[in-house]
Amino acid sequence: MAARGGFSSKIGFIAAAAGSAVGLGNIWKFPYEAGENGGAAFLFVYLACMLVIGFPIMVGEIAIGRAAQKDPYGSYRQLGNRKWGIVGLFGILSGVMILSFYNVVAGWAFGYFYQIIFGNLLEVENFGSYFGAYVSDVSDNMIYSFVFMIFTAIVVIQGVQKGIEKASQILMPILLILLATLIIYSLTLPGALQGAKFYLIPNFSDISLRTIYTAMGQSFFSLSLGMGALITYGSYISKKENIISSAITVTLVDGLVAFMAGLLIFPLVFSQGQAPSAGPGLVFVALPGIFQEMGPIMGRLIGGGFFLLLCFAALTSTISLLEVPVAFIVDEKNWPRKKVVFGLAFLIFLIGIPSMLSVGAVDGLTNFMYYEGSNKSFLDLIEDIFSNIGLPLGGFMLSLFVAFKWKTKRLSEEIAQGNPGYEGSFIQKLVNFSITVICPIILGTIFLITMLTKFLGLDLAFV
């Protein structure tokens, strides 16, 4: 472990793991999905899914990584066999492809931050038209995304303690402080109370099968599960660490940030009479209009603070996404970390260029058909394959691995190191039952439904 490096403390691991989980999924994706699916009703289901599905899979990933002390491929191969190593390879590939388009969206956030602080974003008349023109401007977006990838690489190249752990311990508190400050301001606005009610008081009649399906997928994406990130981070922790308490803390922090993001955004939206169901454009189209209404000084201050928050959240996740393939190559090939980091960062940036071109710059990539009548972009294709399908599939395969290959006995023995009272406890029974029964059924169902709806055009009324 010394040769590979490792986290210096439990707090360091929790900060890094929480940073991996907290990202654009919490602050960009969660609020618009909540807005489209009933607000408080979606929040209730989402939090339940995190506890029932997300937490057990997180425990399994951390335990597998710590038991093997290797990257995802090496962990599955060592604890299982060469064939199971393919599951780890798919997780690594999923992380690489997710980072390729994630970095593009992070570049949008970075560009918006720059344009609010130093540019004329708040003088725009039509933010919908502006966003369309902005994302199709490849020259600017290429610069913003490239700079963001450089920031990511600079952190990862420093290693686990000096890079990932140190950056996470700085970025996570700043992120929470920024978020709390913006929430306090948003709740003082006229009409903010209506937004808070929409978000905090559930109408359970709003819960449909679509709500449950969307919340399950979002909880998995939000926690960075199924792509080997937490297997990798788990391989850097000591046998003395309590996996259960660490996983609980990470799950709670991730849920807290998503909750706080909604508590920030919906009061802002309702204060300006905007629709909460604005979809993916909620952050990039609706919110800038709200910041504009605040006036040139407050709009620049609050708007800049929000997009800086978005950048910090994205950076904590891009760091973990890049570390997964870096750990794989360093572990398996024993190549120097510095060369691996910069080589992979540049390669993944290049892989992301088609996604960058697919939001208006190149028609053939923008209007990409899966089946007759569909209208998706290349970015949608990558997201559907490696995120919407790949992550639940990765979680499904992990649960099968624990149930039929590694066995819950070995899982419990690994967790019991650092947690002597684990074996025979209620939490052990809950984790074992969930990871071997509930998770395979639910994640397998998500995988099948997503395949049918995304690629075969099957119109399932509830999704």
Side-chain angles (χ1 to χ4, degrees):
M1 182 169 178
R4 296 179 75 245
F7 294 110
S8 64
S9 66
K10 180 176 181 176
I11 293 175
F13 167 71
I14 289 173
S20 173
V22 171
L24 293 175
N26 300 74
I27 300 175
W28 168 55
K29 194 173 183 182
F30 171 78
Y32 83 69
E33 288 195 333
E36 290 180 328
N37 290 279
F42 180 85
L43 172 65
F44 176 82
V45 178
Y46 166 76
L47 294 175
C49 289
M50 288 184 71
L51 294 175
V52 175
I53 306 170
F55 169 70
I57 295 294
M58 180 184 292
V59 168
E61 288 203 8
I62 296 171
I64 286 171
R66 193 179 73 171
Q69 300 282 283
K70 290 183 179 292
D71 61 277
Y73 167 72
S75 294
Y76 274 109
R77 189 184 62 179
Q78 179 173 308
L79 301 181
N81 52 43
R82 190 173 293 275
K83 290 181 179 179
W84 277 105
I86 296 173
V87 176
L89 283 177
F90 181 74
I92 295 167
L93 176 62
S94 295
V96 166
M97 298 307 295
I98 289 170
L99 179 55
S100 74
F101 77 78
Y102 197 100
N103 187 63
V104 172
V105 181
W108 297 348
F110 183 56
Y112 261 53
F113 167 71
Y114 181 86
Q115 291 300 327
I116 283 183
I117 298 297
F118 302 107
N120 61 352
L121 179 60
L122 295 182
E123 298 172 12
V124 169
E125 292 184 4
N126 187 316
F127 287 100
S129 299
Y130 176 86
F131 181 65
Y134 171 79
V135 296
S136 62
D137 183 350
V138 178
S139 58
D140 279 357
N141 279 305
M142 194 165 290
I143 293 171
Y144 293 135
S145 294
F146 186 75
V147 170
F148 206 91
M149 185 64 83
I150 290 295
F151 285 154
T152 304
I154 288 173
V155 173
V156 175
I157 204 170
Q158 303 300 317
V160 179
Q161 284 187 26
K162 293 182 180 179
I164 298 169
E165 181 176 347
K166 188 174 181 180
S168 299
Q169 287 179 317
I170 294 171
L171 290 172
M172 285 303 295
I174 293 175
L175 187 152
L176 290 170
I177 291 169
L178 273 173
L179 196 48
T181 303
L182 292 171
I183 287 171
I184 291 170
Y185 175 79
S186 71
L187 290 173
T188 66
L189 298 173
L193 185 59
Q194 290 302 114
K197 287 181 177 179
F198 170 79
Y199 185 58
L200 298 177
I201 302 176
N203 180 355
F204 292 108
S205 65
D206 289 336
I207 297 178
S208 63
L209 289 176
R210 177 187 176 88
T211 305
I212 297 171
Y213 166 77
T214 306
M216 286 191 296
Q218 171 60 21
S219 67
F220 215 72
F221 176 80
S222 173
L223 287 168
S224 294
L225 301 174
M227 65 181 88
L230 292 177
I231 292 178
T232 303
Y233 279 8
S235 73
Y236 296 139
I237 64 173
S238 160
K239 295 285 187 180
K240 297 178 182 178
E241 298 297 341
N242 188 321
I243 291 176
I244 295 296
S245 65
S246 295
I248 289 173
T249 304
V250 173
T251 303
L252 290 176
V253 170
D254 185 71
L256 175 65
V257 172
F259 171 77
M260 292 174 73
L263 196 57
L264 161 65
I265 288 175
F266 290 114
L268 284 174
V269 169
F270 275 78
S271 73
Q272 298 298 324
Q274 300 278 352
S277 56
L282 184 66
V283 165
F284 292 102
V285 177
L287 286 186
I290 294 169
F291 300 141
Q292 186 184 60
E293 293 291 327
M294 295 177 182
I297 297 176
M298 288 305 297
R300 201 175 295 273
L301 183 63
I302 301 301
F306 174 79
F307 282 103
L308 180 63
L309 166 70
L310 204 59
C311 289
F312 281 166
L315 183 59
T316 58
S317 290
T318 57
I319 288 168
S320 68
L321 286 168
L322 182 57
E323 175 63 19
V324 173
V326 167
F328 165 64
I329 294 179
V330 171
D331 281 356
E332 302 301 324
K333 301 296 183 182
N334 201 28
W335 291 355
R337 171 175 276 265
K338 184 175 181 179
K339 291 183 179 179
V340 172
V341 170
F342 280 122
L344 278 173
F346 185 64
L347 175 63
I348 295 170
F349 171 76
L350 293 179
I351 293 172
I353 290 178
S355 293
M356 190 183 301
L357 297 172
S358 72
V359 281
V362 176
D363 184 68
L365 293 171
T366 302
N367 299 300
F368 203 82
M369 287 197 177
Y370 297 2
Y371 52 86
E372 188 65 30
S374 70
N375 185 21
K376 298 290 188 89
S377 68
F378 181 80
L379 190 153
D380 292 327
L381 174 66
I382 299 300
E383 183 180 15
D384 283 343
I385 293 175
F386 295 104
S387 179
N388 296 330
I389 291 174
L391 298 189
L393 178 59
F396 174 72
M397 294 305 297
L398 180 140
S399 60
L400 293 186
F401 176 75
V402 171
F404 298 108
K405 183 62 181 178
W406 197 35
K407 305 295 186 180
T408 55
K409 181 177 183 296
R410 294 191 182 93
L411 171 68
S412 296
E413 288 172 351
E414 181 62 37
I415 295 172
Q417 297 186 59
N419 186 359
Y422 176 73
E423 295 201 66
S425 67
F426 169 77
I427 195 74
Q428 180 199 29
K429 295 179 176 64
L430 180 65
V431 168
N432 287 351
F433 179 73
S434 183
I435 207 169
T436 58
V437 179
I438 297 176
C439 291
I441 294 172
I442 292 179
L443 293 174
T445 302
I446 293 175
F447 169 73
L448 289 174
I449 291 174
T450 307
M451 284 288 292
L452 292 172
T453 56
K454 297 291 185 182
F455 292 102
L456 298 180
L458 188 63
D459 183 16
L460 300 178
F462 62 87
V463 298

